[in-house]
Amino acid sequence: MKISLLSLHNFFLRIIKIFSSGKLFLVKFIKFIPGLLSVKDFFKKTKRIILKKTKISLGILFLLLIAIFTMFEVSPPLLNKESKLENYLQKAENLYKEKRYNEGRKIYEKIIEEFPQRKEKIDLAYYRVGEGLQKCELFHQSITIYEKFIQQYPHSDYLLKAKYNLSSCYKKIGRIEKAEQILKEIINESPRNEMMPEVYFLLADCLREQNKNKEAVPIYQKVIREYPASLQAERSYLRLGDIYLQKKRYSEAMLCYSSLLKEYPRTILRDKALFKLALSSFSQKEVDKTISLLLTILDEYPRSDFLDESFFLLGECFCQKKEYEKVLIIFQKMEKIYEDNPLVLTKAKRKIAELYLNEKKYTEAAKIYENIIKNYAYYCEGEDKIYFELGSLYQKIGSDDKAKKTLMNFIQYFPLSPEISSAYFKLGEIFFKQGFYLESIKAFQEAIEEKLSKEKTGKALSKIGEGYMRLGLWNEALNTFEKSLCYLNERENLRMQFKIEECLLRKRDTSAAKKFSSSLLKKPFTNYPFSEEYLKIGDILNIYGEKRIALEMYKKALLNLPPEGEKFYFTLYKIGNIQKNVGLINQAFKTYKGIIYLTKKDKLFSKNKIRKDALLSLADLYYSLKKYENASLLYTQIATDFPENKDISWVLYQIGNCYQHLGLPNKARTFYQELIKNFGDNLWAQIAKTIMM
């Protein structure tokens, strides 16, 4: 067969056509294979012709070889682009596997920018960008990407995952209702998808965080029931247990944790379940069982996230059993284990110090606090409390100079600490003990300005008064003592009255001193004619505990008071209280009813506090005698006539109790619910919640 220039021309045309085609190179290459075979034949024939017949120009052969090598060695532009995309994708995926999300995300963003027409790859890139932002906790940016993805790629294979991740991001930023809405949409759109365990679990978590436990519980139960092989089923057992534990329904919590351990003996959540089970047992006062569970954690899970908490709870268990030597061993062991963890280490040291305090080993406890301040002050929680506790310890062991220095440092370093008022108070005590009365007065005054409790305010005022007495400032002392009376308990109040008497005598105010002395000491009281004095004597006797004599004084005072005035009603009320306290119940009934009747007639006192107090005392008296119907009527009257009074929560609580005792649980529930609604944080509301459970 002869080879003409026309055959060579056609061969070159076929090569050029391949390079100029818009289709993939591989497709063209496959179609070119027959032509390639003909090239092989062509070479054979060319050789034969060259040898036998005609000498073909070497230049033509050279051009032919260049064309062939070009076909195999130079990649077409489209092949280069496709390879580049695949390289990008592979590199980005590898970076994500290595958790180098920022680097990987930048490559995915580059893919989106350079290959906008490759929709089958772009949706993956968009999804991965959102995922990378989410992994880096850039939730707001991640939300923007996911929402754009969902809008642009509604048929993507990654759509469901994107919606799930979007809901997770909304949950992270606190928009839990939005997360809940998206998850419910996923359930409606794809109820049989393999992601349903994760979707249901996250939905239940959203409901739980909104305190919608009644809705969350059945969803957790659904995950356990319908998807038992999923990790979410295991986690659902834990969540259910946590809900019951929070509600103090310890038996149900223990059942959930035990079921998890039984159904999934190899679960990765086993240490957590054991710890939560131990907490529930401890709350049930099953100390030995708690100890057994905690020892299992310490033995089997030396790297558990709950190891430190297990140690602390174990120490508390042995402390309850009063096995203090074991407690000390536990926390000393923690000192060795957590020597590189200052937070846990200082907490363990403080527990040892508390143990020494319970045993009144103040010197040993002080040494531990000194060590914490010296070596771990910047790492421990509550550094201010350590300074304060150390100062208090120095005071207890009689190291007044050290106590003074430590408390002064505390005041300087922690002026905003909640213990600042107590620090000033203790500093005042130390100055007083050392005879620095002026400095003591200033310290106690600072303590009062920092808002001490009522009891400590009274004590601080009494110490200030005593300081003035030591300095000979009798008028200042007298004024301070008088100011302190309203803050002190009965015993201290009486003591201050004697201090007042002493000040009056010291300043030679004989008239006032005699009058005050008579109100304190004069006997018999029956011949003393004035109502005000009878009342004062009655009050003093009442404080002393001489209630029956005080009762007679109040009765005599009543005879000299103008009827239907405030003092008249108030004295009657005092009489009723004493009658009740000394067991004169029938007389107390009559007195309280008399106050209620008289104040009802008097418009000035129909809404007065005395009338309310009389109604409340009478209602409480009926209740104590188990006359619940009478008590409920009076409590209801108080709620109607005095809706804004400070005792209204107690009144609502007692109405509910009355109906409960009368066998009317629905009526009782109504008042308990009203109480909980209006006074949710109140003690009586909390008790009502417990009753309704």
Side-chain angles (χ1 to χ4, degrees):
M1 181 177 178
K2 293 183 179 181
I3 301 297
S4 66
L5 290 175
L6 181 61
S7 300
L8 188 62
H9 177 263
N10 290 336
F11 176 72
F12 279 113
L13 284 178
R14 296 188 72 174
I15 293 173
I16 292 167
K17 188 175 179 183
I18 289 171
F19 285 101
S20 61
S21 172
K23 295 183 180 181
L24 291 174
F25 173 76
L26 289 176
V27 176
K28 282 295 184 181
F29 184 76
I30 291 169
K31 291 182 179 180
F32 184 67
I33 288 175
L36 189 61
L37 293 174
S38 66
V39 171
K40 186 177 180 182
D41 293 338
F42 173 74
F43 269 115
K44 290 179 181 179
K45 292 177 181 179
T46 301
K47 181 180 178 184
R48 197 163 50 246
I49 291 169
I50 290 171
L51 294 174
K52 293 180 180 181
K53 296 183 180 181
T54 311
K55 291 182 179 180
I56 299 176
S57 169
L58 291 173
I60 295 172
L61 183 60
F62 180 71
L63 290 173
L64 179 61
L65 291 172
I66 288 174
I68 294 170
F69 285 127
T70 300
M71 179 179 68
F72 288 103
E73 292 180 6
V74 180
S75 300
L78 288 177
L79 180 61
N80 280 341
K81 201 166 185 179
E82 182 68 21
S83 176
K84 187 177 181 181
L85 174 59
E86 293 299 330
N87 286 338
Y88 277 164
L89 288 170
Q90 187 62 49
K91 187 174 181 181
E93 287 294 323
N94 290 338
L95 288 169
Y96 267 40
K97 287 177 182 177
E98 296 171 7
K99 297 184 179 181
R100 295 161 63 184
Y101 299 112
N102 274 325
E103 298 172 59
R105 176 167 53 83
K106 288 177 182 177
I107 295 175
Y108 281 123
E109 289 172 348
K110 201 169 184 180
I111 292 171
I112 294 169
E113 182 181 347
E114 293 186 13
F115 302 93
Q117 303 303 321
R118 297 297 305 277
K119 291 186 177 181
E120 73 279 7
K121 301 293 184 182
I122 295 298
D123 67 335
L124 170 62
Y126 258 117
Y127 172 75
R128 288 296 199 196
V129 169
E131 191 177 44
L133 290 166
Q134 184 180 2
K135 295 287 186 182
C136 295
E137 298 187 0
L138 300 171
F139 300 116
H140 288 89
Q141 296 177 42
S142 181
I143 286 170
T144 302
I145 295 297
Y146 282 136
E147 288 182 338
K148 188 174 181 181
F149 172 87
I150 292 167
Q151 185 179 6
Q152 292 186 359
Y153 303 98
H155 304 296
S156 171
D157 293 339
Y158 305 98
L159 182 65
L160 189 60
K161 289 184 178 179
K163 286 186 174 182
Y164 174 81
N165 289 349
L166 177 61
S167 66
S168 181
C169 289
Y170 273 122
K171 180 175 177 289
K172 288 286 186 181
I173 65 172
R175 294 185 60 185
I176 301 175
E177 291 182 358
K178 180 68 175 178
E180 178 188 343
Q181 176 190 338
I182 294 169
L183 292 165
K184 287 180 177 178
E185 288 175 5
I186 295 174
I187 292 169
N188 290 333
E189 293 169 3
S190 308
R192 298 184 181 279
N193 191 278
E194 61 183 9
M195 286 187 65
M196 281 303 104
E198 299 169 58
V199 174
Y200 277 119
F201 183 81
L202 186 58
L203 175 59
D205 275 356
C206 289
L207 293 168
R208 179 172 171 246
E209 288 192 22
Q210 297 176 78
N211 293 320
K212 298 179 180 178
N213 288 330
K214 288 185 178 179
E215 297 177 47
V217 167
I219 296 177
Y220 287 129
Q221 292 171 337
K222 179 183 178 72
V223 174
I224 292 169
R225 185 175 60 254
E226 297 186 9
Y227 308 99
S230 67
L231 175 61
Q232 285 69 34
E234 300 174 31
R235 295 172 67 192
S236 292
Y237 273 117
L238 270 180
R239 289 289 196 274
L240 288 171
D242 292 345
I243 288 172
Y244 293 129
L245 183 61
Q246 185 182 15
K247 289 184 174 183
K248 298 183 179 180
R249 293 163 62 175
Y250 302 118
S251 297
E252 291 159 282
M254 291 172 70
L255 179 62
C256 292
Y257 299 133
S258 300
S259 298
L260 170 60
L261 296 170
K262 180 181 178 182
E263 298 295 329
Y264 305 93
R266 296 184 179 180
T267 176
I268 60 173
L269 304 171
R270 187 168 183 267
D271 61 331
K272 187 173 183 179
L274 284 168
F275 180 73
K276 291 298 183 76
L277 186 58
L279 273 179
S280 303
S281 300
F282 184 74
S283 300
Q284 290 279 69
K285 298 182 179 179
E286 298 177 8
V287 178
D288 290 329
K289 183 177 180 180
T290 305
I291 291 172
S292 175
L293 291 164
L294 293 171
L295 290 174
T296 301
I297 296 172
L298 299 179
D299 182 50
E300 297 182 12
Y301 299 95
R303 297 184 182 278
S304 171
D305 291 338
F306 300 93
L307 191 67
D308 57 331
E309 294 180 76
S310 297
F311 271 119
F312 286 121
L313 186 56
L314 186 61
E316 185 66 28
C317 288
F318 284 122
C319 202
Q320 285 199 5
K321 296 184 76 173
K322 298 183 179 180
E323 297 180 16
Y324 298 118
E325 289 184 5
K326 290 184 179 179
V327 177
L328 186 59
I329 291 169
I330 288 167
F331 293 128
Q332 287 176 337
K333 184 177 180 180
M334 289 188 74
E335 285 185 298
K336 295 178 181 178
I337 294 173
Y338 294 100
E339 59 183 356
D340 296 326
N341 187 334
L343 286 174
V344 179
L345 178 61
T346 51
K347 191 175 178 182
K349 285 180 177 292
R350 291 180 73 174
K351 289 291 184 182
I352 295 172
E354 288 173 13
L355 186 63
Y356 285 140
L357 286 173
N358 289 334
E359 296 177 342
K360 297 184 178 180
K361 296 179 179 179
Y362 300 127
T363 303
E364 289 85 347
K367 287 179 181 177
I368 292 174
Y369 285 130
E370 287 170 353
N371 179 265
I372 292 173
I373 289 174
K374 182 179 178 181
N375 299 309
Y376 306 102
Y378 297 104
Y379 299 98
C380 64
E381 294 180 1
E383 183 187 357
D384 58 330
K385 291 183 179 179
I386 294 176
Y387 269 91
F388 178 74
E389 288 167 3
L390 181 57
S392 302
L393 276 175
Y394 283 142
Q395 186 183 17
K396 282 183 178 179
I397 62 180
S399 300
D400 291 333
D401 288 333
K402 284 186 176 181
K404 186 166 60 176
K405 183 179 178 181
T406 305
L407 291 169
M408 289 175 74
N409 285 339
F410 171 85
I411 291 167
Q412 181 183 353
Y413 299 155
F414 310 103
L416 301 178
S417 170
E419 303 292 342
I420 194 71
S421 59
S422 296
Y424 274 119
F425 186 89
K426 288 182 176 294
L427 193 59
E429 289 180 322
I430 294 168
F431 279 130
F432 191 92
K433 182 181 176 183
Q434 292 182 332
F436 300 113
Y437 301 117
L438 190 59
E439 289 82 355
S440 174
I441 289 168
K442 289 179 180 178
F444 282 123
Q445 287 172 339
E446 289 285 352
I448 293 170
E449 287 183 12
E450 293 291 345
K451 297 181 180 179
L452 282 171
S453 66
K454 182 179 178 180
E455 181 184 356
K456 279 197 171 183
T457 299
K459 289 182 179 180
L461 286 169
S462 68
K463 280 291 184 182
I464 292 171
E466 289 180 30
Y468 283 132
M469 286 182 72
R470 299 293 177 94
L471 295 169
L473 302 171
W474 309 114
N475 282 326
E476 289 80 357
L478 179 62
N479 292 333
T480 304
F481 287 137
E482 289 175 344
K483 188 178 178 181
S484 72
L485 293 176
C486 62
Y487 294 98
L488 298 171
N489 58 34
E490 291 181 358
R491 184 177 178 182
E492 290 297 316
N493 196 294
L494 287 171
R495 192 175 72 85
M496 283 305 103
Q497 290 184 55
F498 284 107
K499 290 287 184 183
I500 292 170
E501 172 70 7
E502 184 180 351
C503 288
L504 289 170
L505 291 169
R506 291 279 189 178
K507 65 182 294 222
R508 300 183 185 279
D509 190 346
T510 308
S511 176
K514 284 183 178 180
K515 186 177 180 180
F516 203 83
S517 295
S518 64
S519 68
L520 285 171
L521 305 171
K522 188 173 181 180
K523 288 185 180 181
F525 302 102
T526 52
N527 296 323
Y528 206 70
F530 302 106
S531 59
E532 287 291 333
E533 298 305 325
Y534 276 118
L535 289 173
K536 286 181 181 179
I537 294 170
D539 289 341
I540 294 168
L541 288 168
N542 201 5
I543 291 170
Y544 273 116
E546 300 290 341
K547 296 185 180 298
R548 289 186 178 271
I549 301 175
L551 179 60
E552 296 304 316
M553 294 299 106
Y554 287 138
K555 286 181 178 179
K556 289 184 178 181
L558 201 63
L559 296 174
N560 294 285
L561 286 172
E564 300 180 356
E566 185 170 0
K567 285 188 178 180
F568 179 85
Y569 294 133
F570 190 60
T571 304
L572 268 179
Y573 181 67
K574 288 181 178 181
I575 290 171
N577 286 345
I578 291 179
Q579 289 169 337
K580 182 176 69 173
N581 290 335
V582 299
L584 302 173
I585 304 302
N586 290 331
Q587 293 182 33
F589 271 122
K590 291 178 181 178
T591 303
Y592 289 137
K593 287 179 179 179
I595 297 170
I596 294 165
Y597 175 77
L598 292 172
T599 51
K600 184 178 181 181
K601 289 173 60 180
D602 192 338
K603 291 182 179 180
L604 292 174
F605 294 92
S606 61
K607 297 293 182 180
N608 189 276
K609 181 179 180 298
I610 295 173
R611 174 178 168 79
K612 184 269 295 181
D613 288 343
L615 282 166
L616 187 58
S617 295
L618 185 59
D620 287 344
L621 193 55
Y622 274 126
Y623 187 89
S624 68
L625 296 173
K626 299 183 180 181
K627 296 183 178 182
Y628 301 117
E629 188 169 355
N630 293 352
S632 67
L633 292 173
L634 288 170
Y635 285 130
T636 303
Q637 186 177 346
I638 296 169
T640 304
D641 294 345
F642 303 93
E644 301 298 328
N645 81 86
K646 66 176 183 178
D647 299 309
I648 190 64
S649 59
W650 165 256
V651 171
L652 292 171
Y653 174 72
Q654 284 294 83
I655 294 173
N657 288 344
C658 287
Y659 284 125
Q660 193 82 359
H661 285 298
L662 291 169
L664 300 170
N666 290 334
K667 276 194 172 184
R669 191 177 187 85
T670 301
F671 286 93
Y672 288 147
Q673 287 173 339
E674 184 180 350
L675 171 61
I676 293 165
K677 179 181 177 182
N678 296 325
F679 305 94
D681 296 327
N682 184 281
L683 171 64
W684 308 120
Q686 295 299 320
I687 296 173
K689 285 181 184 178
T690 305
I691 293 172
M692 291 173 63
M693 287 176 66

